[in-house]
Amino acid sequence: MEIERLIEHAEKLKEKSLYFQSSKLFKKAFEKYKKISHVEGMIQCMISLGDIYRMIGKYGLALESYSGAIDLAKKYKKKTWVSDAKIGLGLSLRAQGKWRESLKLIYESKKTYIKQGDKEGSAFSLWAEAGALRIKGDIKGAIRTFKKSFHIFKMLKNRQGMGYCLCGIGGSSRIAGLFRNSLTYYTAANKLFSKIKDVFGLAYSYCGIGNAFRMLNDYKKAIFYFSKATRLYQKIGDIVSYSYTLWGLGSTYKMMGDYKKAQDNFIKALLLFKKTNDQRGIIYCKFGIGELNILQNKKKNAIRLLREAFHESMKNGYDVEKCHAGLILSYIYKNIPFIKGVQIMVNKELMPFSEKIDIRCYKRLGLKLKFQGLPFNMP
């Protein structure tokens, strides 16, 4: 009973996004379960600790916790716990941009949940899958999968799950070029999170609303909502989502012509992305800093950063980011043929991009995005 009360308290703190306090209690509970050889309790604590480490960007510790839980659950043939830990491991890899490895683990867990008739597990695995598809660049597939997950969560009356699906659809809609839709989904999520007092969800939706207003060219409102997200992320101690808020702020200031503030935010975001080893986040910062260099006539450094972003997008299989990089580079090739005697060439490495700005790469991905030169309001 004492351990159960400890777990209950830890779960409540976790729900309130009080991660540091929650992790201390889960560690304490784990040691108590270990003393009495209570396997399920030990696995539960390991997965919960993995979740906390993942939320605050400590992916090394998250991978260690989830992997330990998988090994223990397999040893004692606890299939559901294996699936739960695999999903957590998949989400940790997803957060670092490793969508291929992430999807493999998510699909394995989803298969088990479906076989066991676990609706909650199925909905969660669909949500996890949709996020990985978004990173891959399958935006239509991501929206479709988020909606499937939303409907199951709605049937289960799981408002938290519904809120995170709405955020997922909002973010995917923004990438698809449906900016009004994005604002609608994020606003709906924000109202839902406000009702259930989900602090992390509120921060996440504020950041999404800020990005939607940025894409609608309402920069004053964008900064207002990014500031609200920043306050909550700093309170929680989450450097993962906060990194993307900093990138959003940098992108907003870039569009406003305040290059000093834009550079400061991009550099802060880049340092955090490097800390969490988020490859996709690093690429987005290279886009931002590269663009600022072009706009401030530091062209040679800009080309280096943008080429790096292109090659890293290719290597990691990020289809949307590959389009962004190729279009910016082809625009530069067309408008700035020489940089300090070094000719910029669109060679085989930059194919299929050419001197002509080719937005067919967006169309091939089903995105309604436009590119009209620099500065580029990147979604």
Side-chain angles (χ1 to χ4, degrees):
M1 288 297 291
E2 184 199 343
I3 309 177
E4 283 175 13
R5 281 196 296 271
L6 200 62
I7 290 287
E8 194 179 331
H9 190 197
E11 288 290 357
K12 281 179 182 175
L13 290 170
K14 186 181 166 190
E15 282 172 21
K16 290 177 183 176
S17 302
L18 297 169
Y19 299 126
F20 177 71
Q21 298 93 318
S22 178
S23 66
K24 282 178 78 175
L25 295 185
F26 277 122
K27 283 176 186 175
K28 196 174 177 181
F30 175 80
E31 290 304 324
K32 287 182 180 290
Y33 277 132
K34 194 176 179 181
K35 275 183 184 177
I36 59 171
S37 301
H38 192 296
V39 175
E40 288 203 2
M42 289 166 66
I43 296 168
Q44 182 188 355
C45 290
M46 290 166 93
I47 292 173
S48 294
L49 283 166
D51 291 343
I52 290 169
Y53 294 137
R54 174 170 56 81
M55 296 298 279
I56 60 175
K58 293 186 176 180
Y59 296 121
L61 290 173
L63 295 173
E64 194 179 308
S65 292
Y66 289 132
S67 298
I70 290 167
D71 291 342
L72 196 58
K74 278 183 177 177
K75 185 180 176 181
Y76 289 93
K77 297 177 182 178
K78 307 285 184 183
K79 287 186 180 180
T80 302
W81 290 112
V82 171
S83 297
D84 292 349
K86 276 186 177 181
I87 283 268
L89 186 58
L91 288 171
S92 298
L93 293 167
R94 190 188 82 176
Q96 294 179 303
K98 298 171 183 175
W99 61 266
R100 291 182 184 91
E101 298 95 319
S102 174
L103 277 176
K104 183 179 180 292
L105 290 163
I106 292 164
Y107 287 148
E108 285 171 8
S109 294
K110 185 170 78 168
K111 194 176 175 182
T112 303
Y113 292 137
I114 292 167
K115 195 175 178 181
Q116 293 177 340
D118 182 344
K119 296 286 183 188
E120 193 87 33
S122 296
F124 187 69
S125 60
L126 282 166
W127 171 81
E129 177 188 345
L133 291 174
R134 177 180 161 184
I135 292 168
K136 178 189 175 187
D138 182 359
I139 307 306
K140 281 186 173 181
I143 292 172
R144 188 169 58 247
T145 310
F146 275 129
K147 285 181 177 177
K148 281 182 189 175
S149 178
F150 176 83
H151 290 304
I152 301 172
F153 277 129
K154 190 177 181 182
M155 183 186 71
L156 296 169
K157 296 180 182 176
N158 183 327
R159 292 189 292 175
Q160 189 180 46
M162 288 165 63
Y164 285 104
C165 285
L166 288 169
C167 282
I169 301 167
S172 301
S173 297
R174 183 180 73 247
I175 296 169
L178 307 168
F179 308 133
R180 287 277 168 203
N181 288 10
S182 179
L183 181 59
T184 301
Y185 283 116
Y186 274 123
T187 303
N190 187 265
K191 286 177 183 173
L192 210 159
F193 287 133
S194 198
K195 282 178 187 173
I196 62 174
K197 296 177 182 174
D198 184 324
V199 181
F200 180 85
L202 276 171
Y204 185 19
S205 54
Y206 280 140
C207 182
I209 291 168
N211 270 316
F213 276 122
R214 174 174 65 84
M215 295 313 300
L216 292 166
N217 305 315
D218 192 335
Y219 304 127
K220 194 175 177 181
K221 278 187 182 175
I223 289 169
F224 174 75
Y225 282 102
F226 283 137
S227 300
K228 285 172 85 76
T230 296
R231 281 194 294 273
L232 290 178
Y233 282 137
Q234 287 177 335
K235 182 183 173 184
I236 293 166
D238 168 24
I239 64 167
V240 182
S241 303
Y242 177 48
S243 309
Y244 282 98
T245 305
L246 286 168
W247 177 83
L249 272 168
S251 299
T252 305
Y253 285 122
K254 178 190 74 180
M255 297 308 295
M256 293 170 73
D258 191 337
Y259 299 151
K260 172 71 172 65
K261 282 185 180 175
Q263 180 89 356
D264 288 347
N265 280 285
F266 284 140
I267 287 170
K268 281 180 194 172
L270 180 62
L271 291 172
L272 291 177
F273 284 132
K274 283 182 175 178
K275 192 175 181 179
T276 59
N277 195 30
D278 183 337
Q279 296 305 307
R280 189 164 155 267
I282 291 167
I283 288 167
Y284 273 101
C285 288
K286 285 182 177 180
F287 285 143
I289 298 166
E291 268 195 76
L292 288 178
N293 284 341
I294 283 287
L295 294 165
Q296 295 174 97
N297 217 32
K298 299 171 185 174
K299 296 163 190 172
K300 199 168 184 179
N301 195 46
I303 293 298
R304 179 183 62 79
L305 286 168
L306 292 166
R307 279 183 167 166
E308 282 176 12
F310 179 83
H311 292 308
E312 285 161 22
S313 298
M314 286 276 285
K315 186 177 79 177
N316 288 288
Y318 304 151
D319 289 344
V320 174
E321 291 72 24
K322 186 176 72 176
C323 277
H324 293 333
L327 285 168
I328 295 169
L329 282 165
S330 61
Y331 172 83
I332 293 166
Y333 171 71
K334 182 185 175 186
N335 291 277
I336 312 163
F338 291 91
I339 294 176
K340 293 180 181 177
V342 179
Q343 188 172 8
I344 301 169
M345 295 174 63
V346 178
N347 56 28
K348 288 177 184 176
E349 291 179 307
L350 297 183
M351 292 302 286
F353 308 106
S354 63
E355 184 177 318
K356 184 182 176 183
I357 299 167
D358 190 349
I359 61 164
R360 284 178 298 180
C361 60
Y362 287 148
K363 288 178 181 175
R364 281 194 294 271
L365 296 173
L367 312 181
K368 294 181 179 179
L369 294 174
K370 292 177 182 176
F371 180 83
Q372 295 171 325
L374 303 182
F376 174 36
N377 201 4
M378 193 175 286

